[in-house]
Amino acid sequence: MREDELDRIAWVRIADAYGPAVDVPKQLCSLAAGAEGWRASLEALEAGVFHQGGYFSATPHAARFLVDLAATGPEAPRAAILGLLARMHGAHTADAAIGWDPYAFRSTPAPPDYPEATATIEAIEAGAGAFRELLTDESPSVRAGAAYLLSGIADSAGAARAAIAGALSGDRDEAARASQALALARLADPGTGAGPIGALPGERDEAARASGAPRPSDPGAGAGPIGALAGERDEAARESGALALARLAELSGDGSPLVRGAAAVGLAWLGRADRRALAEAAALEGVAEGFPWADGSLALLAVSALGALEETDDALCELVELWLGRGPLWSSDPRDDWNEGSGLPSPEAWQRSELLRAAVGLLAPRAFAGFAGRERDPVLAGELSAGQRRILGWCAVHGLAIPAPGIPWIEPCAMRRFLEGGGPLDEPLELEGRSWPRWRWLYGVADGIAEAPERVIAALRALEPEALFDLCVDVLSGAYAHPRCYGLCLCGARLAELLAAIEPRRPALRERFERYGLALAAEPGRIRAEQARFALGPSLPSPPAALDALVAAGGLPADEERARAVLAGLPVERRSAIVGRMRGSSREAFFDLCDLEIVARCSLDDFLSESWDLPGFTTEELLLPLGDAMLASIGERIDRARGRKRDLLESIRADLAGELTELAVEIEAVGSGLQARVRDGAGRELCSFDLPPIPKQADLAPLAAVIEEPGLTRLQLAVEEALDGELACRIEDLIAALGVREIVSGGHAWIGEPGDQR
């Protein structure tokens, strides 16, 4: 790739996801150099030109250069570039079933039928000849990637089949051979190259189709290998199918489990499924290095192929339980990401999670097909079969969310309660000629579908005091959580109405409230504000010291004057400790009542105990206002911190100690370009320099030379108002990439964690 070719494109006039695509040439040059940092450049390039599966005016141009780099670029990034090109081409989106994860964001891009998308796909397909040459490359991962990419390019299917078959005959690398075997199966029909969606036979279950599993083409459409083989549309189709079947049959006895598994998946795509071989492939552990299909997980492909067949529910259940036994399900909702890498799964954990969710996504619609249409009519535990209880038990024990109609509970504790029953919410309530558990009535109230919500609430308020108390505790526990009501059966005014009914009876239930409060205080990290307020009561007389955790968790009256009165009635040591454990900037209103050294000490102790799940900028907002008291407390405790926590405390300490260097940067238009002036905290000019209309990182070298310690620098950025807003954001991003501690610009502040680069 020649840099002068990059310069012929007016990147400032075309866009990626973030505006003018001025960063794309730099990213492509980094890939062309193949030096350290190329992977970050590739990730940034994909985030810009293929953001969440979308195409932009810069995407076709980037694709043409990527094709060149894949063919002739340096060794290190070529396999990864082939993978990106395959994703941009879009032919592999249905290779594997996509599991259901209620916590994960999955983008749903528009069909690639608009000009930017079609131009990108055409640019990639124009490189088919170069990709065929890569089938004999020295790098196994490049050979595997080339076969993967070629398998989706229909227009060159005939030439690709011959080249892949030849490569497969002589290749000795298992990842390359496995990829070539799947590609051969994928290309068996020269008509469309439609792949697994058109290839999988035997799928007749509408529920499984809805789950996203691969499915067959319409009868007679001839969109996949089965149409070609069964209908014998033409000689080329028969030959391609026979070739693929013969080669895959040979590979079924290969010594490599990866190659054998790929052969089993390929045969399933061609309508020759061996269920035992698929089950063995679906049990393979580990992510295969250099194997590009399904992010290296042949097991995921095998599960998807197995789930598309009829009468495989028992096999899928056995596979789910096998994989659950291999380790905990990784959750995409980590509660504490302070330690380095703690919020990121290992490749093996990610594979396990995706495979389990895919298997459940295929299995659940069939297992719970009898409840279709019950989303607004909750299922009762007594309606479940033993097989259905077995599946829901995976959620109760392992936290594996199950997409079952009429059973909305996805949290383990709520699912356990649903399956076990026995709590106040499970007690029957007879109303309007029907007898349902209370939770079902309350679910209807929260969802706005109960015929007479007032009558439901009135009936529950009429319970005996002890029974009403137990019901309120059960509701606040999150049992039978409603996914649209923030974890409670009731929400908003309805919840308040039910809880308010207990207040006149609080004196008679004093011992029950005390026991409940003490039980909550024993696990302070798990207290919800609603639980704390319920346990302490709205009037909140002076609480015992044992319940201070509830006060800090949100049990103070909402009215600030009343809250101050409660705190003022406590010894200064107690109220200071309570305020120190409170979350949110509202606690500053009580600082005048406290010993700030105690507040600072308790805040840091809580922070260091891993009980905070707040991001860095929120933590700074809580700790910085404590000033010198926090500075002293950090000095005493910083040795207990580790990882990102220690870095954050070091940064806060530098800020409080006045160690931050203050700089100001002014940007204004001068002629056809820009001019930057840099001043110190006293207003003295340190340097000035010119910038092009669209600055690049290298253009800020004079500013970088002035910044001695980026992590201890707070920078005020002032950009002339007449300049374009996107340009201002770009300059801010370039300065942030220098690693400065904080940027204040346009009335807002960006605070970076030490070493952070946006």
Side-chain angles (χ1 to χ4, degrees):
M1 185 191 75
R2 292 167 48 189
E3 290 194 28
D4 60 335
E5 294 175 340
L6 286 174
D7 294 337
R8 293 182 193 144
I9 298 173
W11 296 99
V12 70
R13 300 182 186 278
I14 58 178
D16 61 12
Y18 302 105
V22 292
D23 287 333
V24 172
K26 177 182 67 176
Q27 294 156 352
L28 290 170
C29 286
S30 173
L31 293 172
E36 184 179 355
W38 68 262
R39 193 175 297 278
S41 296
L42 186 65
E43 291 172 354
L45 178 66
E46 180 173 6
V49 302
F50 195 53
H51 185 72
Q52 296 180 6
Y55 302 81
F56 306 86
S57 55
T59 313
H61 298 281
R64 282 188 278 273
F65 287 106
L66 287 171
V67 169
D68 186 25
L69 287 171
T72 62
E75 178 69 26
R78 281 193 298 152
I81 290 172
L82 288 167
L84 173 56
L85 288 170
R87 291 191 292 277
M88 294 167 70
H89 185 263
H92 287 280
T93 56
D95 285 352
I98 297 176
W100 184 68
D101 182 355
Y103 297 115
F105 168 76
R106 298 187 189 273
S107 61
T108 306
D113 54 4
Y114 47 100
E116 295 84 353
T118 55
T120 300
I121 293 170
E122 288 170 0
I124 295 170
E125 292 186 345
F131 303 147
R132 290 196 295 273
E133 295 294 325
L134 295 179
L135 291 170
T136 57
D137 191 86
E138 292 183 1
S139 167
S141 59
V142 169
R143 299 197 299 271
Y148 177 61
L149 179 52
L150 282 166
S151 68
I153 301 178
D155 290 345
S156 64
R161 275 196 303 273
I164 291 171
L168 181 58
S169 298
D171 212 311
R172 293 294 176 265
D173 181 81
E174 64 171 0
R177 291 166 64 220
S179 181
Q180 293 157 3
L182 290 171
L184 202 60
R186 178 80 179 261
L187 292 168
D189 178 10
T192 65
I197 282 187
L200 281 166
E203 168 77 295
R204 296 293 180 268
D205 188 317
E206 187 63 33
R209 263 198 298 275
S211 75
R215 55 192 184 278
S217 55
D218 294 333
I226 294 304
L229 292 171
E232 297 187 351
R233 293 177 303 162
D234 52 51
E235 188 65 26
R238 286 197 300 274
E239 290 179 1
S240 68
L243 171 65
L245 286 171
R247 297 307 305 273
L248 293 173
E250 293 174 7
L251 295 175
S252 296
D254 194 271
S256 163
L258 183 68
V259 176
R260 287 200 309 273
V265 172
L267 287 169
W269 290 353
L270 293 172
R272 302 294 190 271
D274 181 333
R275 296 175 185 236
R276 177 175 295 180
L278 282 175
E280 290 177 358
L284 288 177
E285 288 190 85
V287 176
E289 185 176 355
F291 179 68
W293 298 72
D295 293 326
S297 177
L298 178 71
L300 180 57
L301 293 176
V303 164
S304 303
L306 189 64
L309 303 175
E310 296 177 348
E311 299 180 1
T312 56
D313 290 7
D314 288 343
L316 286 173
C317 284
E318 291 174 4
L319 281 168
V320 168
E321 289 168 352
L322 171 68
W323 279 94
L324 285 172
R326 288 175 172 173
L329 178 70
W330 173 76
S331 169
S332 58
D333 185 29
R335 292 296 179 186
D336 182 6
D337 65 347
W338 283 105
N339 296 323
E340 292 292 341
S342 64
L344 300 175
S346 65
E348 292 74 21
W350 177 262
Q351 177 206 35
R352 184 166 59 245
S353 171
E354 289 295 287
L355 186 145
L356 285 168
R357 289 179 173 131
V360 167
L362 292 164
L363 178 63
R366 298 200 294 244
F368 296 93
F371 298 141
R374 292 284 295 273
E375 287 80 1
R376 297 175 68 83
D377 180 18
V379 172
L380 302 178
E383 300 179 66
L384 299 173
S385 67
Q388 290 167 336
R389 282 181 167 272
R390 175 188 183 185
I391 294 171
L392 295 179
W394 303 335
C395 174
V397 177
H398 300 282
L400 181 59
I402 311 294
I407 306 174
W409 305 291
I410 54 180
E411 297 291 343
C413 61
M415 185 62 78
R416 283 194 294 272
R417 285 295 315 284
F418 173 64
L419 294 175
E420 297 171 2
L425 283 168
D426 300 292
E427 294 293 325
L429 173 62
E430 295 186 11
L431 198 64
E432 300 177 352
R434 285 175 292 190
S435 178
W436 285 345
R438 293 167 180 167
W439 67 260
R440 183 170 179 178
W441 285 109
L442 293 178
Y443 181 91
V445 169
D447 218 23
I449 60 175
E451 292 85 343
E454 293 79 10
R455 292 186 61 189
V456 174
I457 298 298
L460 296 175
R461 292 183 63 175
L463 292 172
E464 292 296 321
E466 292 81 1
L468 180 58
F469 173 88
D470 291 340
L471 178 64
C472 289
V473 169
D474 214 14
V475 168
L476 290 170
S477 72
Y480 299 154
H482 187 302
R484 291 183 295 280
C485 292
Y486 309 102
L488 303 176
C489 283
L490 292 173
C491 62
R494 291 296 182 187
L495 173 60
E497 188 177 347
L498 185 66
L499 298 180
I502 202 72
E503 287 309 315
R505 312 175 192 189
R506 184 176 288 271
L509 299 169
R510 181 176 58 83
E511 291 185 1
R512 281 177 174 258
F513 275 103
E514 288 179 358
R515 287 198 300 271
Y516 176 61
L518 291 171
L520 289 176
E523 295 186 274
R526 298 176 179 270
I527 304 172
R528 287 205 294 261
E530 296 92 344
Q531 294 173 311
R533 286 194 292 269
F534 176 74
L536 296 172
S539 58
L540 190 62
S542 180
L547 300 184
D548 283 355
L550 275 66
V551 182
L556 283 172
D559 179 77
E560 183 181 322
E561 185 176 344
R562 291 176 57 197
R564 287 179 64 86
V566 171
L567 289 173
L570 302 176
V572 66
E573 293 82 2
R574 278 187 62 193
R575 63 180 180 245
S576 299
I578 288 171
V579 172
R581 291 186 170 91
M582 291 172 62
R583 303 289 185 267
S585 58
S586 61
R587 71 181 191 163
E588 293 177 36
F590 309 120
F591 280 0
D592 62 308
L593 299 175
C594 300
D595 181 331
L596 291 187
E597 291 186 1
I598 298 176
V599 174
R601 187 166 60 246
C602 291
S603 293
L604 274 187
D605 286 343
D606 218 21
F607 174 63
L608 293 171
S609 71
E610 303 291 342
S611 61
W612 284 25
D613 57 1
L614 305 175
F617 66 87
T618 304
T619 301
E620 283 205 289
E621 290 177 356
L622 290 175
L623 302 185
L624 281 173
L626 288 163
D628 290 342
M630 179 54 64
L631 181 61
S633 194
I634 288 177
E636 296 169 358
R637 288 166 170 72
I638 198 164
D639 289 340
R640 288 167 47 191
R642 62 187 185 279
R644 291 174 56 213
K645 279 194 171 183
R646 184 182 181 91
D647 291 341
L648 180 60
L649 292 185
E650 290 279 15
S651 177
I652 293 173
R653 179 167 68 176
D655 198 342
L656 292 172
E659 297 173 1
L660 292 185
T661 299
E662 302 282 348
L663 291 179
V665 177
E666 302 163 357
I667 307 290
E668 61 181 352
V670 176
S672 61
L674 305 170
Q675 187 175 66
R677 285 189 174 86
V678 183
R679 304 181 188 275
D680 64 15
R684 293 185 295 268
E685 184 172 312
L686 301 179
C687 69
S688 64
F689 54 95
D690 294 331
L691 292 169
I694 304 297
K696 300 180 180 179
Q697 194 68 55
D699 297 323
L700 268 65
L703 174 60
V706 170
I707 300 174
E708 296 180 359
E709 294 186 75
L712 296 177
T713 300
R714 177 188 287 120
L715 190 144
Q716 298 276 345
L717 175 63
V719 179
E720 185 178 331
E721 291 185 5
L723 294 175
D724 182 77
E726 287 187 359
L727 178 60
C729 291
R730 173 169 180 76
I731 292 172
E732 186 175 335
D733 285 343
L734 293 174
I735 294 174
L738 298 176
V740 299
R741 173 72 187 88
E742 180 179 350
I743 302 172
V744 180
S745 173
H748 72 276
W750 174 79
I751 301 173
E753 294 178 7
D756 186 24
Q757 294 187 357
R758 281 195 309 183

